Amino acid sequence: MSDAPAPAAIALREVSRRFGAVHAVDRVSLAFARGSFTALVGPSGCGKTTILRLASGLDAPDEGACARGGGESRTGFLFQEPRLLAWRTVRENVALPLELAGVARAERLARADAALALVRLADAAERFPHQLSGGMKMRASLARALVTRPTELFLDEPFGALDEVTRHDLDMELRALWERERFTAVLVTHSLPEAAFLAQRMVVFSPRPARVVADIAAPEGTRDARFWTCDALAAAVRAGSDAMLRAIEEARR
Amino acid sequence: MSARLPAHPSRGASRTLSVVGPIVAVALAILAWSAIKWALDLKDFVLPSPLGVARAFLDDPAPFLRGALQSAGSALLGFAIAAAGGVLLGSTISLSRTVERSVYPLTLLFQMVPLVAIAPLLVLWFGYGRPAIVASAAIVAIFPVIASTVSGLASRDPNLDELFRVLGAGRLAIWWKLALPSAVPSIVTGLKIAAGLATIGTICGEFLAGTGGENAPLGVMITTALRNFQTERVFVSVLLAAGVGFAVFGCVALASRLVLTRWMR
């Protein structure tokens, strides 16, 4: 490992974004190192999703700039809802990004199967979305996000609607996938424990307009089921929660 | 378990009811029909007896069945034209909001202009015979297809729209791979309505543009029998026309079920 910092895959410089009278983001500067996993945490409605959209290029800032590191860049997206097409099988759904990119049928289906194997959903390839449980739908959605082998993966509260057990399972798998594939991951979540579990770094935001109030390193360690209850995770959660509560109090004054 | 789930036996009972119920209702209707005829002492040419109607059919069923086949053919052809034309027109209309706002109200003409009023024009343009009859069926049937296509294309999930844009899909890809598949359940509903209307349009078309002879369709058989005071033959033809309507609707419903397996929830 060299001492030089990894080059930034994405860098937001002094970005601001307004929607009419609503000031969503106020001069935020943030850099995401290549291959890092960053969680954006904050009170609901604070503008963290807006920051994710700005970082991904889905949205453009009113002020400031969003710079991207050179080299190959493929973007994957995981939304809060699975967003599967009801009339397509799971395999056809996962192949959709390749299909829209003009990849030949045989190749895209083979790659879809590989992505399904990655999320342990190979058995369900022939099924339709309505035949899947909530967790399986999210797995299929994750496979679709991974099928292009993205260099950057943006996750917008992807497992928020799932029950806790399923959510913990998927968190563990997502972390394992990231450790293997090392894409640059940016996650929006309102759950501090989830942020500390999944990411290497937790960026805490103030209530709207979003400002960075804390930038906390998540604990090191193997992400197994016991990690959820370890002291290091609890300490990171406490630090994040302190910063957030202070910011909320400040905003009230 | 069974005590807590009383749905099962009662579901079986309701299935029996759904078979026995209609049979009993039809029997009662025939009974009421006979009773009215007897009570009011109606002549056969005003209201034939159920038995007379059955006899009129069974004495020589061939021309009736040929007529029904003719009408069914016209109805299916008119329906097919309405289905293809309606989806095409509806899709074109949906391409832009400006076109939708300006052209869509115009398509209401198909719905609003009474068929009897334009049927003579159809005879003028197509002459007597099948083309005019098929055109009449298509004109009546096309509006629900247009309307269901337009509303189906408009009702897609905005979240999926965003997904496609994130994936870099162009307008054509969004239309072909998202909008149209999303519209299928709505279009199918429109097609089912169109199937029923196509039969009505066919019989109306036959009233005005049908030709008699060996292969006279049901509409012509109705008018001919009326002129000859053979009211029981009118009844046979009307019942067969209803049968044709059911058959056409059944074909469309069956086909749509096969298509819709992918859309079932």
Side-chain angles (χ1 to χ4, degrees):
Chain A
M1 274 285 172
S2 73
D3 288 329
I10 307 153
L12 298 173
R13 269 185 235 107
E14 296 272 307
V15 293
S16 297
R17 184 77 174 98
R18 285 181 201 82
F19 299 101
V22 178
H23 202 165
V25 177
D26 183 29
R27 279 173 297 145
V28 167
S29 293
L30 259 183
F32 304 100
R34 197 175 298 279
S36 66
F37 199 139
T38 311
L40 312 179
V41 213
S44 65
C46 77
K48 46 192 192 296
T49 294
T50 306
I51 290 172
L52 187 83
R53 293 172 63 90
L54 290 171
S56 67
L58 261 189
D59 194 9
D62 294 319
E63 284 158 45
C66 174
R68 304 184 147 256
E72 243 190 332
S73 169
R74 284 182 304 273
T75 308
F77 251 96
L78 197 57
F79 300 97
Q80 190 165 12
E81 322 80 22
R83 300 197 184 179
L84 301 172
L85 306 180
W87 55 89
R88 285 176 173 236
T89 62
V90 168
R91 179 187 286 126
E92 291 164 345
N93 263 293
V94 172
L96 179 70
L98 302 174
E99 185 179 330
L100 292 172
V103 176
R105 184 178 165 81
E107 190 196 335
R108 67 178 187 246
L109 292 183
R111 282 171 69 183
D113 281 337
L116 282 168
L118 218 54
V119 299
R120 298 195 293 119
L121 207 60
D123 293 342
E126 299 290 334
R127 290 203 231 164
F128 286 94
H130 72 268
Q131 297 169 308
L132 305 183
S133 68
M136 289 165 91
K137 280 183 197 162
M138 239 23 254
R139 274 176 211 276
S141 193
L142 181 59
R144 184 182 60 200
L146 294 172
V147 78
T148 55
R149 300 192 65 88
T151 53
E152 290 132 33
L153 184 63
F154 297 94
L155 308 110
D156 189 2
E157 297 198 39
F159 310 138
L162 300 175
D163 66 273
E164 188 146 317
V165 175
T166 312
R167 184 175 183 164
H168 281 193
D169 278 350
L170 278 166
D171 281 338
M172 261 187 283
E173 279 183 45
L174 177 59
R175 172 77 188 201
L177 272 169
W178 170 77
E179 280 170 12
R180 200 144 32 115
E181 309 274 325
R182 285 288 168 163
F183 39 78
T184 308
V186 183
L187 165 82
V188 163
T189 178
H190 56 251
S191 159
L192 282 159
E194 184 175 55
F197 184 93
L198 275 174
Q200 300 169 294
R201 173 187 171 206
M202 307 151 64
V203 180
V204 182
F205 291 94
S206 67
R208 208 172 56 208
R211 276 179 306 106
V212 178
V213 294
D215 200 332
I216 302 161
E220 309 267 333
T222 318
R223 260 55 174 184
D224 53 17
R226 269 168 310 184
F227 196 82
W228 284 107
T229 51
C230 78
D231 291 339
L233 183 128
V237 168
R238 207 174 307 119
S241 150
D242 280 346
M244 207 191 302
L245 289 173
R246 262 201 312 278
I248 291 172
E249 250 170 53
E250 240 170 70
R252 287 216 178 110
R253 271 205 298 270
Chain B
M1 246 347 228
S2 61
R4 278 177 48 199
L5 291 171
H8 266 287
S10 79
R11 198 179 299 160
S14 84
R15 201 169 297 152
T16 315
L17 187 73
S18 73
V19 176
V20 176
I23 293 174
V24 171
V26 168
L28 284 176
I30 291 174
L31 213 67
W33 172 1
S34 309
I36 289 168
K37 181 175 164 60
W38 175 78
L40 300 177
D41 194 19
L42 297 172
K43 296 273 181 289
D44 271 351
F45 76 86
V46 179
L47 184 70
S49 69
L51 216 64
V53 172
R55 208 179 296 127
F57 174 66
L58 292 172
D59 277 352
D60 187 12
F64 287 113
L65 294 177
R66 274 202 302 272
L69 219 59
Q70 285 288 321
S71 298
S74 300
L76 277 174
L77 204 59
F79 167 78
I81 292 169
V87 170
L88 213 68
L89 257 169
S91 305
T92 316
I93 287 169
S94 297
L95 280 181
S96 96
R97 188 142 299 173
T98 328
V99 177
E100 185 176 334
R101 291 249 171 85
S102 38
V103 178
Y104 192 37
L106 208 63
T107 65
L108 275 168
L109 272 180
F110 286 119
Q111 179 85 328
M112 295 307 164
V113 171
L115 184 65
V116 254
I118 51 166
L121 278 175
L122 296 177
V123 175
L124 180 68
W125 292 333
F126 296 103
Y128 285 94
R130 200 162 227 185
I133 294 165
V134 171
S136 146
I139 287 172
V140 184
I142 201 168
F143 182 76
V145 184
I146 296 175
S148 66
T149 304
V150 169
S151 78
L153 286 173
S155 66
R156 64 177 188 259
D157 183 353
N159 276 341
L160 293 178
D161 231 57
E162 190 191 43
L163 169 74
F164 270 71
R165 273 183 279 116
V166 166
L167 295 175
R171 271 183 69 127
L172 193 68
I174 290 182
W175 189 84
W176 181 244
K177 291 176 198 287
L178 174 62
L180 200 60
S182 302
V184 164
S186 166
I187 293 174
V188 163
T189 308
L191 290 179
K192 284 184 182 167
I193 298 170
L197 291 176
T199 310
I200 297 173
T202 297
I203 302 293
C204 288
E206 288 166 354
F207 281 167
L208 280 133
T211 48
E214 179 85 332
N215 283 318
L218 290 178
V220 174
M221 296 188 80
I222 290 172
T223 44
T224 311
L226 268 174
R227 271 199 298 275
N228 298 328
F229 296 104
Q230 297 167 310
T231 312
E232 63 281 356
R233 290 178 71 85
V234 175
F235 269 67
V236 173
S237 306
V238 168
L239 289 173
L240 280 174
V244 167
F246 271 118
V248 173
F249 179 83
C251 288
V252 175
L254 198 72
S256 65
R257 257 180 94 143
L258 294 177
V259 173
L260 270 188
T261 46
R262 285 203 152 210
W263 279 260
M264 293 289 196
R265 288 188 177 260

